[in-house]
Every structure is written in structure tokens, then in C-alpha cells.
Amino acid sequence: GNSVTQMEGPVTLSEEAFLTINCTYTATGYPSLFWYVQYPGEGLQLLLKATKADDKGSNKGFEATYRKETTSFHLEKGSVQVSDSAVYFCALIQFYFGTGTSLTVIP
Amino acid sequence: DVKVTQSSRYLVKRTGEKVFLECVQDMDHENMFWYRQDPGLGLRLIYFSYDVKMKEKGDIPEGYSVSREKKERFSLILESASTNQTSMYLCASSLGDRFNQPQHFGDGTRLSIL
């Protein structure tokens, strides 16, 4: 069946460090993939999406590429900021979410 | 700006009570969803609806029911609240299209059952 496996946290990085949060999925066909971000006390917000193989989603310096051959959708950012501190969720269509990865960026 | 509004941010109820969580969206979206969010478990789908008066069970529907009498409103009902239903509840909505569209989320209701 469909599922999402996400890298466990928490992750702590210094400002300007490189970020990778791993996400792999199991699915049939070509379902859409999403990354959402949740700031403290708020609901989830869409960060980026990809709808087919080799698509690259990007937003606010974050990127993720839909890789069919490795069934992965890893989230990356070249230089994190304190304001990126949040919980990040990988999602497969609208029904399957990862467990979330908490990121803390320290000055 | 588009908005999904959940009626309460915090709610405290007692075991055995019937509890209603309300969600309203102003985007004319076809799909609406209820999730619960627990540490280490991520988001788990309770119910969803793809049209007025239509509903489908998600992964964990036991102990819950839903109502969608109008397109903009989707209610989650705890028939007889129990302590294991203490959680954060998130409502979301999206356009139709085979569930491949991004979702818009409310800010959540943190429900405590005593």
C-alpha cells in the first residue's frame, strides 16, 4: 500500500548550515508529493510540491526533487536561517503523512 | 486571503461527553479532511469528504463521526469522548482532482479529555 517514511528528528543546525531531510515513499503510479511546514502554534502550510517524476519543487530556498528510481523526495536548503525552525512533514497525495521532523536552527 | 477556520484553539471536555469540532473554509473547496496529530505519529486521517453529505473513513475512524451539510463546513463529532482522544485535531480543505492538490490547514484544536 501507500506510505511515507521520513527521517526522524530532532535536527539541530547552526545558521547557514546545509539542510537535508530524507523522505521516501511507497506508491503505485505517479501520485503528487508535498512538503509542509508547521510553525509553533499553527497548522501546516504548503512549502513545495511535485506532481510527476523528475519534477523539482522549490520555495523560499527549499528544494525537493521527485525521484521515481529511488522513490525519494528529500528536502534540501543550502543555508538555513533561525526563522526556518519548525516541524517539516513529507506527504503523499492528501492521505499519507510522515511523522514530521523538528528542525531547530541556532544563531 | 484563503482561510480554514477551526472554532476553538483549546477545548477541555470530560469523559463520556459528546464533543463537536467545527471547521469552516471560505475557498469553495470540494474536499475537506479531519486529522489528528500526535507526537511521533505525524498526521493520521480520521475522515474526509469530497462533496456535501458525502464522507469516507480514513485510517482511524473509530470513536468519531462527521457531518457535512454545507460545502463550507465540516464537523467532527466525538460520540462519547475518551481520554485516548486527547490530541491536536487539524482540519484541511482542498480543490477536487483526485486528491492530488495541496491542502490548506486550519490552526488546529488542542482537545483535552479529562
Side-chain angles (χ1 to χ4, degrees):
Chain A
N2 296 327
S3 67
V4 172
T5 301
Q6 184 176 342
M7 181 176 103
E8 294 203 10
V11 174
T12 303
L13 294 173
S14 297
E15 207 164 21
E16 300 184 2
F18 184 85
L19 168 71
T20 300
I21 301 177
N22 291 337
C23 173
T24 57
Y25 67 91
T26 303
T28 55
Y30 294 90
S32 292
L33 293 166
F34 306 93
W35 277 100
Y36 290 89
V37 59
Q38 185 179 35
Y39 298 104
E42 298 182 9
L44 279 67
Q45 303 173 24
L46 177 68
L47 182 59
L48 53 83
K49 67 175 184 178
T51 58
K52 60 184 186 295
D54 300 323
D55 254 5
K56 177 184 279 189
S58 61
N59 186 26
K60 299 180 182 179
F62 291 90
E63 294 183 339
T65 301
Y66 190 155
R67 300 209 184 276
K68 189 72 174 174
E69 63 277 9
T70 54
T71 62
S72 65
F73 192 56
H74 304 324
L75 182 68
E76 296 182 336
K77 187 175 186 182
S79 176
V80 294
Q81 305 300 313
V82 171
S83 57
D84 294 327
S85 298
V87 180
Y88 293 82
F89 291 91
C90 183
L92 173 70
I93 54 174
Q94 296 172 340
F95 299 146
Y96 308 100
F97 285 77
T99 53
T101 301
S102 174
L103 170 66
T104 300
V105 180
I106 54 177
Chain B
D1 197 14
V2 296
K3 201 152 181 65
V4 176
T5 302
Q6 295 185 229
S7 54
S8 304
R9 292 299 303 271
Y10 301 93
L11 207 53
V12 180
K13 296 292 183 180
R14 296 207 172 274
T15 303
E17 281 192 67
K18 191 169 186 175
V19 180
F20 294 85
L21 303 183
E22 306 287 345
C23 175
V24 177
Q25 51 99 359
D26 65 359
M27 296 165 279
D28 202 35
H29 282 168
E30 291 83 6
N31 301 331
M32 295 189 75
F33 307 80
W34 276 106
Y35 300 88
R36 63 178 283 176
Q37 181 180 7
D38 299 290
L41 298 176
L43 273 69
R44 292 180 293 165
L45 182 64
I46 305 172
Y47 269 96
F48 67 97
S49 168
Y50 54 88
D51 201 353
V52 175
K53 297 192 184 294
M54 305 305 290
K55 59 186 179 183
E56 295 287 343
K57 293 179 180 179
D59 295 325
I60 52 165
E62 296 79 18
Y64 304 94
S65 63
V66 290
S67 172
R68 193 166 181 201
E69 296 297 318
K70 293 185 178 181
K71 191 174 186 180
E72 67 271 17
R73 185 180 297 270
F74 193 35
S75 302
L76 179 69
I77 303 154
L78 284 64
E79 297 291 343
S80 176
S82 64
T83 54
N84 63 12
Q85 293 178 309
T86 291
S87 186
M88 170 70 88
Y89 289 87
L90 292 172
C91 175
S93 72
S94 77
L95 291 169
D97 184 22
R98 293 171 292 172
F99 305 107
N100 271 317
Q101 294 294 324
Q103 294 164 295
H104 297 262
F105 284 83
D107 286 338
T109 296
R110 187 164 293 283
L111 175 64
S112 296
I113 307 296
L114 304 179

